[in-house]
Amino acid sequence: MSIPKYPDPRAGHTYCTWTIRILFALLAGLAPALARADFALNLPTPATGVAQDIYDLHTLILWICCAILVVVFIPMAIALLKHRKSVGHQAAKFHDNLAVEIIWTVIPILILISMIWPATKLVVSMKDVSKSDLTIKVTGYQWKWEYEYLGDNIRFMSNSSTPQAQIDGEQPKGEHYLLEVDRPLVVPAGKKVRLVLTSNDVIHAWWVPAFGVKQDAIPGFIRDTWFKVDQPGIYRGQCAELCGVKHGFMPVVVEVVTPEKFDAWKQEQKALVAAAAANAGKTYQMAELNAIGEKVYTANCAACHQANGVGIPGAFPALSGSKIATGDVAGHIDMVLNGKSPTAMAAFGKQLSDLDIAAVVTYERNKWDNKTGDLVQPADVAARRK
Amino acid sequence: MNTTTVNDATGHHDHDHDHAPEGFMRWLTSTNHKDIGSLYLWFSLFMFFFAGALAMLIRAELFQPGLQYFQPGVFNQLTTMHGLIMIFGAIMPALVGFANWQVPLMIGAPDMAFPRLNNWSFWLLPAAGTLLIATFFVPGGAISGGWTMYPPLYMQGGIAYDISILSVHILGISSIMGAINIIVTILNMRAPGMTLMKMPLFVWTWLITAFLLVAVMPVLACAITMLLTDRNFGTHFFDAAGGGDPIMFQHVFWFFGHPEVYIMILPSFGIVSTILPTFARKPLFGYVSMVYAVASIAILSFIVWAHHMFTTGMPLGGQLFFMYATMLISIPTGIKVFNWVATLWRGSITLETPMLFSLAFVILFTLGGFSGLVLALVPVDIQLQDTYYVVAHFHYVLFSGSAMAIMAGVYYWLPKWTGHMYDEKLGKVHFWVTAIAFNITFFPMHFLGLAGMPRRIPDYALQFADFNAIASVGGFLLGASQLLFLYIVIKCARGGAPAGNRPWDGADTLEWTLSSPPPYHSFVTPPLVK
Ligand code: HEM
Ligand SMILES: [Cu+2]
Ligand SMILES: [Cu+2]
C-alpha cells in the first residue's frame, strides 16, 4: 500500500469528481458563510492533510444534504400552502406511481455511490501507519495520559493543569481552561508520527480535533494511528470516551516544534532521566516528603478520596482513619503500588516513581486523623516492588 | 362495514361473565387491552417526566462553564440515567401502549391474543422502574458509565450496577413477552378479509418491530449477564487480563443497540403514516413500498452496528463494510420521507395538532437522518464520534422523531380513547412551543460537536459557552412546555366536547367505526373488510 501524497493542507478539494464540482459551483455562493471556522459553526481549522480531507468530505456531504433538503421540502412547502382545505383545494385520489418511486430510489443510490470513492480513499489513507518517522506509545490512565518515546527512554505523565479553584469558580477561568496540561506531548513538525495506544484501566480516547485523529485506548490491546503536522504550534484536544469521574478533565495537548528544537528537547529529557537516576537512594525529611506527597495526592488521589480524605461513601473509601492508611506500612505501600482490581483504585506502581509513592504514603499516614508519624523512604518502596 | 353493538361505553359488557373489579384491583388484574394500553401510556408519561427532570438538572449544570451544582460523579449519574430511563422507561413503553390500544382496534379484534401475558408484561415495568430509580439512593449512587454500559468502566461501580442489570433484564423480559403477544395477535386475529397487505401501516410497523424485539432483546440479556458474571463471579468475558475483550461487549451491545433504535422509530413511522393521510384526506402514497421500506430497514439494521465503534480501531475492511451498509440504510429511510411528501401533495390539508406534530416529525426526523448520513462516513465519524454532534443526531431522531410522533398519536387517538375532544387551542400552543424550544435546544449542539465538544462532560472549555447557554435556555422551555401536555391530557381524560365515533373526517381505519371510547371487548363480532 502506498502512502497517499498530501498537498498543502489548505489546498482544498482534492477528490471532487466533476459531478460534485457542479453541485459545489451551484452552492458556492452560500458556502463561505458556513465554512467560517471563527464562528465555531464548523470543524476547527485543519492542521493535517487528513483533517483537511475530513473537512472537505464533511462540506461535501453537508451540501448534498442541503440540496436534497431543498428538493424534498419545496414540494412539501407548496403542498402545505396551496393544497389546503381552507383554500378550497380538493384532494386528489392517486396513491402510487411506479416511475416516480423508481426515480427516487435510484437517484439517492447514485448520490451515495458518488460518495463512496472519496470516503473510501480517505479511510484507506487514515489507516496507513506505514513508513512513520517516529513512534510514541500513549497510555490512558484514569485520568491522565502517559507518553513514551519508544527507543529513546523518555517517558512522562501529562496531567491536566487547570487549577481546581477555576473549576469551582473561585478564580477567573484562564484562556485554555480545561485544555491545558503540565507536560504536553512534543513532536517534530513535518514528520509522520505514529501513535500506538493502550490503556491501563478503562477505555479512553485520544483526540485532537485539528489533526483529525481520534483513537480509543483499550486496556489489554494495542491500536495505532498517525498524524503529520506541518505547522509548529500548540494543538489541544480532550479524552473522548467516558472514562469515569474526571473524564471531562483529561486534556490532550500537543506541542509541534521544528525538528531541530525537537532534537534539543530530547537531549534535555535524557539529561533529566540521568539526573533522577543519580538521586536514587537518597533519604528524605518528613517536611520534604509531605510537600511532594501533597502534590502527588492532589494530582492522583483527591479525585476519588477527596482532598479532605473522607472519600465518597459507598463509592470511594475514606483514607482519614482508614485501616490501611493507619495500619501496616507495607500493606499501605502495596495498595498504592498494585491497586485493587477491579475497582477504580489503580496500580500506581506503573505511573509513579518510588519517590512519589514514598511521599504520598508518608503524606497519607500523617494527614487528617492519621497521626502515625511514619516516614517512608523511596528505598522502602523499591523494596516492595515485585 | 359491520359495526357491533356499541352503546355500552363503560366497560361492563358481560360476555365472559367477568366480575371486573373496581379501583386499584381493576388495574392490577386487568387483562383488557385498553386498560393495559392506558397503564403503559401513563407509566411512560411518568418516566418521561422523571427522565426529563434529570435532563433539566443536566442543562442547569451545563448552562455555564465550571462546576456549579453537581460533582462530576453525580453528573455522570444524571446523563446515564436520563438516557437509560428515556429509552427503556419512556419511549419503548409508550410505543407498546399504542400497540395495545391500537392493534386490536385496527385489525378488528376483541383483544390481544394473550390477555394474561399482557397483564404480566405491563406489571413487570413498575417493578423494573422502581429498581432503577431506587439506585439513586443506594451507597455510591446510580450507575454512571453511560447508558451503553461499556466495561471495564462498568466493572468499577457499586451495588447500583448489579441492580440496574437486574432491572434491564426485567424490562427485556417484558419487551419480549409484549412482542410475542403483538406478533400472535396480528398474525391470528385479523378480521376476515384483512389480508396482510390490507393492514394499516401502523400494524405493519409494529409487526416488524416486534420481530426485531424478539431477535435482539435476548442479545442484550446475554451481554449484561456476562457483565454481571464478570462483576461478581470471576469470569473474564470482557477483561483482557483474563483473556477476554472489552470491545467484544461493544459488538454484542450494538448488535442489540442499533436494531433497538429502529424499534423506537418504526412504530413512530406507523403513527405518522396513519395521521398524514387523515389530514391530507388522501390515501397514503406508496403503501407497498412503505411496507418494503420498513422491512428492509429492519433487515439492514442487523448489519450496521459497528458504525457506533469506528474509533475503536477496527480493520480497514470492517470500517468500509459498516460504512457502506450504513449509507445503504438511508435509502429506504429516504423513500419513506418521499412517500410522506407525496401523500401531502395535492391533498386537502388541515392543520390540527396531530397533523402539526406529524409534519414537524417529517421535517425534523429528516434532519436527523441527514446527520446520520454524515456520521456514516467513517472519516467524518472519527472526527465527530462521542461529541455533541452525535447528541444532536440522536435527539433529532428520538425526540423530534419518536417522542413527537408519540405526541402526535396521543392527540390523534385521545378522542377515541377518552370519548372527548382535547383542547385544540392548547394543543397547538403545546406544539409550537415544543417545536421551537426543541430546535433552540438541539440545533446548536451540531455546532458544538463540530467545534470539538465531547459528550458526557460536566464542564467544558470557554469556547463552547455561548451555544451551551442557548441550549440550556431552550431545554428549560422544552421541559416546561411538557407540563402543558400533561395538563391537556388530564383535561381531556376528565371531560370535554363529545368526540363521536369519528372526529376526523379523513380517517378510515377500523377503530373509527366503534364508539368513543370503544366497548369493553372492542370488536365482539369481527367486522368484514372488503
Ligand atoms: C438514516 C438513518 C440513520 C443513520 C445513517 C444513522 C447513523 C448513525 C451513526 C453512524 C451513529 C454513530 C455515531 C457515533 O457514535 O459516532 C449513530 C448514532 C445514534 N443513532 Fe443513528 N442513524 C440513523 C437513524 C437513527 C434513528 C432512526 C435513530 C433512533 C430512532 C437513531 C438513533 C441513534 C442513537 C441513539 C445514536 C447514539 C447512540 C449512543 O452512542 O449513545 N439513528 N447513528
Ligand atoms: Cu475520558
Ligand atoms: Cu446505529
Side-chain angles (χ1 to χ4, degrees), chain A residues 83 89 120 127 177 214 223, chain B residues 312 314 346-347 385 459:
Chain A
H83 304 164
H89 196 273
T120 304
K127 274 277 168 196
Y177 179 66
K214 183 185 289 143
R223 296 287 197 267
Chain B
T312 55
M314 64 184 103
R346 294 179 56 208
Q385 145 106 106
D459 192 5

Side-chain angles (χ1 to χ4, degrees), chain A residues 38-342:
Chain A
D38 46 276
F39 280 101
L41 297 177
N42 205 340
L43 295 165
T45 312
T48 63
V50 164
Q52 180 66 47
D53 287 350
I54 292 176
Y55 189 103
D56 293 338
L57 187 63
H58 174 259
T59 308
L60 175 64
I61 187 77
L62 181 65
W63 286 122
I64 289 179
C65 290
C66 289
I68 301 175
L69 192 87
V70 170
V71 171
V72 175
F73 288 142
I74 283 188
M76 181 164 168
I78 294 175
L80 287 181
L81 290 173
K82 299 260 167 83
H83 304 164
R84 289 276 280 273
K85 195 178 174 196
S86 55
V87 300
H89 196 273
Q90 295 289 314
K93 289 281 163 256
F94 67 90
H95 52 75
D96 44 27
N97 182 330
L98 192 62
V100 177
E101 287 173 62
I102 289 176
I103 291 174
W104 71 39
T105 311
V106 171
I107 291 184
I109 291 180
L110 294 179
I111 294 177
L112 288 187
I113 289 176
S114 73
M115 289 302 303
I116 283 182
W117 172 239
T120 304
K121 222 174 99 183
L122 185 49
V123 180
V124 170
S125 73
M126 290 169 83
K127 274 277 168 196
D128 181 10
V129 293
S130 65
K131 302 209 182 112
S132 59
D133 301 308
L134 172 70
T135 301
I136 300 170
K137 183 176 169 214
V138 179
T139 309
Y141 288 86
Q142 281 174 321
W143 294 272
K144 54 192 159 268
W145 296 100
E146 181 191 60
Y147 300 117
E148 182 177 356
Y149 293 68
L150 296 181
D152 279 321
N153 195 24
I154 301 175
R155 197 167 78 116
F156 58 87
M157 286 286 173
S158 178
N159 282 291
S160 165
S161 63
T162 300
Q164 188 65 35
Q166 289 190 12
I167 296 171
D168 293 336
E170 290 151 9
Q171 259 177 31
K173 299 183 183 7
E175 184 190 358
H176 298 299
Y177 179 66
L178 300 187
L179 298 178
E180 52 200 345
V181 296
D182 52 357
R183 298 189 67 182
L185 174 66
V186 180
V187 297
K191 295 272 170 22
K192 182 167 181 175
V193 179
R194 172 170 171 254
L195 299 182
V196 295
L197 300 101
T198 186
S199 166
N200 180 59
D201 35 55
V202 302
I203 303 174
H204 305 268
W206 194 89
W207 180 34
V208 178
F211 294 179
V213 169
K214 183 185 289 143
Q215 175 59 55
D216 290 1
I218 302 160
F221 292 82
I222 299 268
R223 296 287 197 267
D224 59 0
T225 184
W226 68 276
F227 60 85
K228 178 164 152 298
V229 186
D230 290 322
Q231 209 59 40
I234 294 182
Y235 299 90
R236 296 169 198 277
Q238 279 175 274
C239 174
E241 178 71 48
L242 178 60
C243 55
V245 175
K246 301 248 271 180
H247 162 57
F249 306 89
M250 199 176 154
V252 174
V253 179
V254 183
E255 191 178 340
V256 180
V257 297
T258 59
E260 302 75 54
K261 267 200 190 158
F262 179 71
D263 287 334
W265 175 85
K266 257 186 5 189
Q267 294 315 320
E268 222 176 277
Q269 298 305 309
K270 287 185 180 165
L272 283 177
V273 173
N279 251 344
K282 186 182 161 198
T283 54
Y284 291 80
Q285 304 299 316
M286 177 69 97
E288 282 175 290
L289 287 172
N290 265 333
I292 303 171
E294 178 158 16
K295 282 206 196 91
V296 176
Y297 185 84
T298 312
N300 297 283
C301 322
C304 298
H305 299 295
Q306 307 298 305
N308 56 7
V310 298
I312 295 177
F316 306 116
L319 298 183
S320 183
S322 90
K323 263 198 219 126
I324 289 178
T326 54
D328 176 31
V329 178
H332 191 170
I333 296 176
D334 286 349
M335 174 62 85
V336 179
L337 277 175
N338 307 324
K340 188 167 180 206
S341 179

Side-chain angles (χ1 to χ4, degrees), chain A residues 289-295 297-298 307 358-368 370 374:
Chain A
L289 287 172
N290 265 333
I292 303 171
E294 178 158 16
K295 282 206 196 91
Y297 185 84
T298 312
V360 80
V361 171
T362 306
Y363 175 78
E364 287 173 357
R365 300 184 73 78
N366 294 288
K367 186 77 183 165
W368 316 301
N370 307 349
D374 295 335

Side-chain angles (χ1 to χ4, degrees), chain B residues 147 254 261-262 307-308 372 375 381 385 393-394 397-398 455:
Chain B
W147 80 276
W254 286 114
V261 306
Y262 283 98
H307 65 209
H308 297 273
L375 291 169
D381 180 79
Q385 145 106 106
H393 162 67
F394 65 69
V397 287
L398 283 175
R455 67 192 277 207

